Amino acid sequence: MPLPGPPDRILVGPSGPLGGQVTISGAKNSVLKLMAATCLAEGTYVLRNVPDITDVTCMADLLASMGMTVARTAPGELTLVHPPGIVPEAPYELVERMRASIVVLGPLLARYGRARVALPGGDDFGPRPIDMHQRGLEQLGAVFTSAHGYIEATAEHLVGTSILLEFPSVGATENALMAAVLARGTTVIDNAAREPEIADLAAFLNRMGARVAGAGSSTITIEGVDALAPVEHTVVPDRIEAATFLAALGVAGGAIRLVGARAEHMDMYLQKLTEMGMGITVEPDGITAVAGQRLRSVDVSTLPYPGLATDYKPFFVAMLTTADGVGIVTENIFSGRFRYIDELVRMGADIRTEGHHAVVRGRARLSGAPVRAHDIRAGAALVVAALGAEGETAVSDADHIDRGYEQFVEKLAGLGADVRRG
Ligand code: EPZ
């Protein structure tokens, strides 16, 4: 699938108040796993509400490298064809482009009894081991070897068992879940991750004929079945994208409507925004939000779902840079997820970090500056903070943002923000 490259800088001018509505796209952190799950059974799948983002293209390239065909067959629609006998291998050059590729391990192992996957490296968040992925699959009966930067898992049969995760890891839960659906007998995953994307994956698997119960809670029970079948499915909306537009509103002020956002997937975030002074109205098909001149500072700590997601944290820091007061932000999931702070300080923000805490003193206004996106959420948070800055901000390496946001610039401009590519 060709990758036309937009200019890789986003230019942002002082903006606000924002107004109008924006439609929320499908969730990146769900669709990537649904695409991986198509490795579980041959046939033709149709996914709808699929965001047009580069991570989807990466996963499509990975599946295509195994012998599948993946095509965009209509706006927001992806058709995936799994022919007999794909090659259960994920090569380094594709895995290193996107860590999430690791979730093909469980489904390939379950369907083919073998999977060879390049070891994903760390990234800006610090070390990101896969020990819990491996331990869960070993408990189901897989045998692992590793050589030349690859891990290879084999299993004649996977057998249902009890898996207690040391930490509610999203990826480890998804790999164990996608392996257990074809295992013999019952598997219980305890201390499982509870993110809404896990529930979406389980709904997809159950549509394929699996027997998964309890997804979304910390105990998931899976009755293995002999075979699964291809299906059609609509991806849940992206709560992190919705959170990004609410943060833009928090910085720039105004009133906006998020069409398709699911408030029940982002309770803690909305609760914190209300504490900061934002008016939130939950509607059957979305959220309306209103923000006055200046938010109040709050303290936030990241936790596994339903706690405050680590992916929301850069947006809190961005909002706190111009909020009224001092806020302490604590990161409990990824040790090193503070790299964007130097960029905000370049824009005049008053932030001190100590270990996994950041103390943010709100200022009346930031000043525009050249900054760099280090990852998806960090990049989007710089654009959000720049809406409240004097003068122009140029965010470079914006391709990071395109990995996780569909038409980010167009959507923000549609709300009245002064943003463009350049
Ligand atoms: C998923 O990553 C998301 N990515 C991340 O979103 C999100 O930040 C994260 O979950 C937490 O919510 C996708 O879904 C593609 P984890 P994942 O396994 O699965 C440690 C975004 O911007 N751990 O829940 O990789 C790990 O190091 C991205 O959209 C182990 O130690 O996260 C981390 O500290 C960024 N060993 C913690 O657990 C393991 O085997 C949580 O990681 C697995 C994880």
Side-chain angles (χ1 to χ4, degrees), residues 28-29 33 128-132 169-171 311 333 377:
K28 167 182 84 76
N29 291 347
K33 321 310 169 56
R128 293 180 72 180
I130 56 160
D131 53 322
M132 296 181 220
S169 150
V170 172
D311 300 331
I333 310 290
R377 311 302 169 189

Side-chain angles (χ1 to χ4, degrees), residues 331-344:
E331 172 60 55
N332 294 311
I333 310 290
F334 292 110
S335 53
R337 201 172 188 179
F338 275 133
R339 276 202 65 197
Y340 53 91
I341 289 196
D342 299 344
E343 304 300 315
L344 287 168

Side-chain angles (χ1 to χ4, degrees), residues 104-123:
V104 298
L105 188 57
L108 288 173
L109 180 65
R111 176 66 191 80
Y112 290 94
R114 181 180 86 83
R116 185 166 178 270
V117 176
L119 269 171
D123 61 17

Side-chain angles (χ1 to χ4, degrees), residues 278-289:
M278 197 179 280
I280 303 279
T281 310
V282 175
E283 293 151 352
D285 66 343
I287 297 170
T288 291

Side-chain angles (χ1 to χ4, degrees), residues 23-356:
T23 300
I24 300 302
S25 300
K28 167 182 84 76
N29 291 347
S30 177
V31 70
L32 298 177
K33 321 310 169 56
L34 304 179
M35 292 171 75
T38 64
C39 295
L40 283 163
E42 288 151 25
T44 302
Y45 300 76
V46 178
L47 295 177
R48 295 193 177 85
N49 199 26
V50 174
D52 184 7
I53 56 176
T54 50
D55 271 12
V56 165
T57 308
C58 284
M59 186 58 88
D61 291 348
L62 177 59
L63 298 175
S65 77
M66 298 176 196
M68 291 175 65
T69 52
V70 184
R72 282 198 177 269
T73 37
E77 185 181 280
L78 211 58
T79 299
L80 307 95
V81 180
H82 177 161
I86 64 172
V87 181
E89 298 202 1
Y92 173 74
E93 50 285 357
L94 292 169
V95 172
E96 66 97 22
R97 273 167 56 193
M98 182 181 66
R99 274 191 58 78
S101 314
I102 192 71
V103 294
V104 298
L105 188 57
L108 288 173
L109 180 65
R111 176 66 191 80
Y112 290 94
R114 181 180 86 83
R116 185 166 178 270
V117 176
L119 269 171
D123 61 17
D124 268 349
F125 302 171
R128 293 180 72 180
I130 56 160
D131 53 322
M132 296 181 220
H133 297 242
Q134 186 164 335
R135 201 167 311 121
L137 297 173
E138 277 168 346
Q139 286 174 282
L140 285 162
V143 175
F144 278 80
T145 53
S146 67
H148 312 298
Y150 281 76
I151 47 168
E152 178 140 9
T154 54
E156 211 168 307
H157 303 293
L158 294 174
V159 180
T161 184
S162 300
I163 297 172
L164 172 59
L165 291 177
E166 208 177 313
F167 182 89
S169 150
V170 172
T173 301
E174 291 161 338
N175 257 327
L177 171 57
M178 287 194 275
V181 288
L182 287 178
R184 293 188 178 162
T186 306
T187 299
V188 177
I189 306 175
D190 251 319
N191 198 25
R194 301 173 55 187
E195 275 70 1
E197 296 77 26
I198 305 259
D200 199 31
L201 174 61
F204 180 70
L205 294 170
N206 282 343
R207 233 182 250 274
M208 291 173 70
R211 295 206 199 123
V212 181
S217 80
S218 45
T219 302
I220 304 177
T221 305
I222 306 114
E223 298 294 337
V225 296
D226 296 337
L228 298 166
V231 289
E232 306 196 0
H233 185 84
T234 300
V235 183
V236 288
D238 197 319
R239 60 195 168 100
I240 317 288
E241 184 198 22
T244 310
F245 292 122
L246 288 170
L249 178 76
V251 169
I256 64 173
R257 188 153 181 273
L258 307 177
V259 179
R262 300 258 298 266
E264 71 275 20
H265 289 172
M266 44 197 311
D267 283 344
M268 194 59 84
Y269 188 76
L270 300 178
Q271 202 171 296
K272 276 288 166 191
L273 290 180
T274 307
E275 266 178 58
M276 296 177 87
M278 197 179 280
I280 303 279
T281 310
V282 175
E283 293 151 352
D285 66 343
I287 297 170
T288 291
V290 181
Q293 273 319 303
R294 204 169 175 201
L295 295 176
R296 289 188 294 275
S297 294
V298 291
D299 297 340
V300 295
S301 288
T302 65
L303 287 169
Y305 193 90
L308 206 66
T310 170
D311 300 331
Y312 296 148
K313 191 201 59 198
F315 306 121
F316 275 107
V317 175
M319 287 188 277
L320 289 171
T321 57
T322 50
D324 182 9
V326 178
I328 300 174
V329 177
T330 303
E331 172 60 55
N332 294 311
I333 310 290
F334 292 110
S335 53
R337 201 172 188 179
F338 275 133
R339 276 202 65 197
Y340 53 91
I341 289 196
D342 299 344
E343 304 300 315
L344 287 168
V345 169
R346 191 195 304 279
M347 295 170 69
D350 180 347
I351 311 174
R352 315 275 157 89
T353 54
E354 181 72 42
H356 62 147

